[in-house]
Amino acid sequence: MPLLINLQLLRQKAQQVTGELPVAEFAEGFQDDLVRFVAPLHHDLEIRYEGEELFIRGLLKTELECNCSRCLKTFRLRLELPDFAVLAPLQGEEAVPIEGDFANLTSLLREDSLLALPTAPLCKPDCRGLAVKAPARDSRSRDLSPAGPADGKSPWDALEQLKLK
Ligand SMILES: [Zn+2]
């Protein structure tokens, strides 16, 4: 099931849309050496008209299986954007597809999910890869705390920056 929004209803009032898009739906044909989608794209979105565009805001999350770009170890990574927000035009080249009374937001969510993927996933921020054995006494190198969203390196950052343009 694609994510379809009834524009007639939306004209009357904002819609709250919660659900999941299966991997086959939102990541169809996606191929990457290091990253695979392993969970549906969960979305919890508020959608309303903003002038002649759609304003879409809310939560997107899914789960990835990655291979570390340095040591190739396989690990799971939650991809979560709690403050996803986008203005989607209904006309012009960038317009979301319209089918009758419905706007299809599947490809929009797909594109933004793909933009947010890590290009060089790391099993941990200070992974040293296969070639170099980390010397135990080398404590000066980098004192990074275990991976956490607070380090500002969320894979969604790329998306956030795009939205600021
Ligand atoms: Zn690694």
Side-chain angles (χ1 to χ4, degrees), residues 67-75 121-130:
N67 289 106
C68 177
S69 58
R70 291 188 192 149
C71 74
L72 295 181
K73 181 175 140 186
T74 301
F75 64 100
L122 294 177
C123 62
K124 53 185 179 180
D126 57 350
C127 174
R128 287 167 177 269
L130 291 170

mmCIF file of all heavy atoms in Angstrom, residues 67-75 121-130, ligand 1:
data_model
loop_
_atom_site.group_PDB
_atom_site.id
_atom_site.type_symbol
_atom_site.label_atom_id
_atom_site.label_comp_id
_atom_site.label_asym_id
_atom_site.label_seq_id
_atom_site.Cartn_x
_atom_site.Cartn_y
_atom_site.Cartn_z
ATOM 1 N N ASN A 67 27.114 -2.801 7.031
ATOM 2 C CA ASN A 67 28.461 -3.321 7.200
ATOM 3 C C ASN A 67 29.359 -2.133 7.474
ATOM 4 O O ASN A 67 29.323 -1.139 6.747
ATOM 5 C CB ASN A 67 28.949 -4.060 5.955
ATOM 6 C CG ASN A 67 28.224 -5.377 5.780
ATOM 7 O OD1 ASN A 67 27.374 -5.502 4.912
ATOM 8 N ND2 ASN A 67 28.531 -6.336 6.611
ATOM 9 N N CYS A 68 30.144 -2.254 8.538
ATOM 10 C CA CYS A 68 31.061 -1.176 8.889
ATOM 11 C C CYS A 68 31.986 -0.893 7.704
ATOM 12 O O CYS A 68 32.552 -1.810 7.103
ATOM 13 C CB CYS A 68 31.871 -1.568 10.115
ATOM 14 S SG CYS A 68 33.087 -0.336 10.592
ATOM 15 N N SER A 69 32.131 0.388 7.368
ATOM 16 C CA SER A 69 32.931 0.730 6.196
ATOM 17 C C SER A 69 34.427 0.554 6.457
ATOM 18 O O SER A 69 35.229 0.641 5.541
ATOM 19 C CB SER A 69 32.621 2.165 5.753
ATOM 20 O OG SER A 69 32.885 3.065 6.803
ATOM 21 N N ARG A 70 34.805 0.311 7.707
ATOM 22 C CA ARG A 70 36.227 0.086 7.996
ATOM 23 C C ARG A 70 36.541 -1.373 8.280
ATOM 24 O O ARG A 70 37.541 -1.900 7.801
ATOM 25 C CB ARG A 70 36.658 0.941 9.194
ATOM 26 C CG ARG A 70 36.655 2.419 8.856
ATOM 27 C CD ARG A 70 37.257 3.234 9.967
ATOM 28 N NE ARG A 70 37.004 4.661 9.754
ATOM 29 C CZ ARG A 70 36.865 5.542 10.724
ATOM 30 N NH1 ARG A 70 36.951 5.158 11.983
ATOM 31 N NH2 ARG A 70 36.638 6.804 10.448
ATOM 32 N N CYS A 71 35.706 -2.041 9.097
ATOM 33 C CA CYS A 71 36.059 -3.416 9.472
ATOM 34 C C CYS A 71 35.088 -4.448 8.887
ATOM 35 O O CYS A 71 35.263 -5.644 9.086
ATOM 36 C CB CYS A 71 36.132 -3.551 10.994
ATOM 37 S SG CYS A 71 34.528 -3.548 11.808
ATOM 38 N N LEU A 72 34.043 -3.979 8.214
ATOM 39 C CA LEU A 72 33.058 -4.831 7.538
ATOM 40 C C LEU A 72 32.148 -5.614 8.478
ATOM 41 O O LEU A 72 31.307 -6.397 8.041
ATOM 42 C CB LEU A 72 33.737 -5.809 6.567
ATOM 43 C CG LEU A 72 34.445 -5.146 5.388
ATOM 44 C CD1 LEU A 72 35.057 -6.193 4.481
ATOM 45 C CD2 LEU A 72 33.489 -4.256 4.605
ATOM 46 N N LYS A 73 32.315 -5.411 9.771
ATOM 47 C CA LYS A 73 31.417 -6.058 10.729
ATOM 48 C C LYS A 73 29.966 -5.665 10.428
ATOM 49 O O LYS A 73 29.670 -4.532 10.071
ATOM 50 C CB LYS A 73 31.808 -5.612 12.139
ATOM 51 C CG LYS A 73 30.985 -6.216 13.243
ATOM 52 C CD LYS A 73 31.568 -5.768 14.596
ATOM 53 C CE LYS A 73 30.439 -5.452 15.568
ATOM 54 N NZ LYS A 73 30.952 -4.876 16.817
ATOM 55 N N THR A 74 29.060 -6.650 10.583
ATOM 56 C CA THR A 74 27.635 -6.379 10.370
ATOM 57 C C THR A 74 26.993 -5.881 11.658
ATOM 58 O O THR A 74 27.223 -6.454 12.722
ATOM 59 C CB THR A 74 26.925 -7.659 9.908
ATOM 60 O OG1 THR A 74 27.537 -8.117 8.708
ATOM 61 C CG2 THR A 74 25.454 -7.396 9.630
ATOM 62 N N PHE A 75 26.221 -4.824 11.548
ATOM 63 C CA PHE A 75 25.535 -4.321 12.742
ATOM 64 C C PHE A 75 24.217 -3.677 12.342
ATOM 65 O O PHE A 75 24.016 -3.303 11.196
ATOM 66 C CB PHE A 75 26.426 -3.325 13.505
ATOM 67 C CG PHE A 75 26.753 -2.075 12.732
ATOM 68 C CD1 PHE A 75 26.059 -0.897 12.975
ATOM 69 C CD2 PHE A 75 27.741 -2.071 11.763
ATOM 70 C CE1 PHE A 75 26.352 0.265 12.255
ATOM 71 C CE2 PHE A 75 28.035 -0.920 11.040
ATOM 72 C CZ PHE A 75 27.354 0.236 11.293
ATOM 73 N N PRO A 121 29.031 3.860 6.921
ATOM 74 C CA PRO A 121 28.623 3.435 8.258
ATOM 75 C C PRO A 121 29.786 2.884 9.072
ATOM 76 O O PRO A 121 30.682 2.240 8.527
ATOM 77 C CB PRO A 121 27.584 2.344 7.976
ATOM 78 C CG PRO A 121 27.801 1.921 6.573
ATOM 79 C CD PRO A 121 28.396 3.076 5.855
ATOM 80 N N LEU A 122 29.762 3.182 10.364
ATOM 81 C CA LEU A 122 30.800 2.700 11.268
ATOM 82 C C LEU A 122 30.152 1.913 12.402
ATOM 83 O O LEU A 122 29.134 2.320 12.946
ATOM 84 C CB LEU A 122 31.586 3.871 11.864
ATOM 85 C CG LEU A 122 32.432 4.690 10.887
ATOM 86 C CD1 LEU A 122 33.082 5.853 11.616
ATOM 87 C CD2 LEU A 122 33.483 3.814 10.226
ATOM 88 N N CYS A 123 30.764 0.777 12.754
ATOM 89 C CA CYS A 123 30.208 -0.051 13.824
ATOM 90 C C CYS A 123 30.326 0.678 15.156
ATOM 91 O O CYS A 123 29.552 0.442 16.072
ATOM 92 C CB CYS A 123 30.917 -1.398 13.875
ATOM 93 S SG CYS A 123 32.676 -1.297 14.230
ATOM 94 N N LYS A 124 31.327 1.545 15.269
ATOM 95 C CA LYS A 124 31.465 2.431 16.417
ATOM 96 C C LYS A 124 32.274 3.632 15.940
ATOM 97 O O LYS A 124 33.034 3.515 14.972
ATOM 98 C CB LYS A 124 32.143 1.737 17.597
ATOM 99 C CG LYS A 124 33.464 1.094 17.246
ATOM 100 C CD LYS A 124 34.044 0.322 18.415
ATOM 101 C CE LYS A 124 35.367 -0.319 17.996
ATOM 102 N NZ LYS A 124 35.993 -1.087 19.076
ATOM 103 N N PRO A 125 32.111 4.777 16.609
ATOM 104 C CA PRO A 125 32.725 6.007 16.067
ATOM 105 C C PRO A 125 34.233 5.910 15.888
ATOM 106 O O PRO A 125 34.805 6.521 14.992
ATOM 107 C CB PRO A 125 32.372 7.068 17.120
ATOM 108 C CG PRO A 125 31.212 6.521 17.875
ATOM 109 C CD PRO A 125 31.337 5.016 17.830
ATOM 110 N N ASP A 126 34.889 5.123 16.747
ATOM 111 C CA ASP A 126 36.346 5.067 16.667
ATOM 112 C C ASP A 126 36.838 3.735 16.111
ATOM 113 O O ASP A 126 37.943 3.303 16.413
ATOM 114 C CB ASP A 126 36.961 5.329 18.044
ATOM 115 C CG ASP A 126 36.439 4.339 19.079
ATOM 116 O OD1 ASP A 126 35.475 3.609 18.751
ATOM 117 O OD2 ASP A 126 36.982 4.294 20.192
ATOM 118 N N CYS A 127 36.018 3.101 15.309
ATOM 119 C CA CYS A 127 36.450 1.842 14.702
ATOM 120 C C CYS A 127 37.746 2.067 13.942
ATOM 121 O O CYS A 127 37.864 2.994 13.148
ATOM 122 C CB CYS A 127 35.381 1.310 13.751
ATOM 123 S SG CYS A 127 35.932 -0.150 12.843
ATOM 124 N N ARG A 128 38.707 1.179 14.185
ATOM 125 C CA ARG A 128 40.008 1.351 13.538
ATOM 126 C C ARG A 128 40.192 0.426 12.348
ATOM 127 O O ARG A 128 41.267 0.382 11.758
ATOM 128 C CB ARG A 128 41.118 1.111 14.566
ATOM 129 C CG ARG A 128 41.232 2.245 15.549
ATOM 130 C CD ARG A 128 42.092 1.848 16.721
ATOM 131 N NE ARG A 128 42.254 2.981 17.636
ATOM 132 C CZ ARG A 128 43.246 3.857 17.544
ATOM 133 N NH1 ARG A 128 44.154 3.726 16.609
ATOM 134 N NH2 ARG A 128 43.328 4.855 18.402
ATOM 135 N N GLY A 129 39.146 -0.317 12.057
ATOM 136 C CA GLY A 129 39.237 -1.142 10.868
ATOM 137 C C GLY A 129 40.021 -2.415 11.091
ATOM 138 O O GLY A 129 40.432 -2.736 12.199
ATOM 139 N N LEU A 130 40.249 -3.129 10.017
ATOM 140 C CA LEU A 130 40.900 -4.426 10.096
ATOM 141 C C LEU A 130 42.407 -4.310 10.112
ATOM 142 O O LEU A 130 43.112 -5.060 10.773
ATOM 143 C CB LEU A 130 40.492 -5.284 8.890
ATOM 144 C CG LEU A 130 39.042 -5.748 8.861
ATOM 145 C CD1 LEU A 130 38.736 -6.373 7.517
ATOM 146 C CD2 LEU A 130 38.782 -6.707 9.993
HETATM 147 ZN ZN ZN B 1 34.051 -1.342 12.388
#
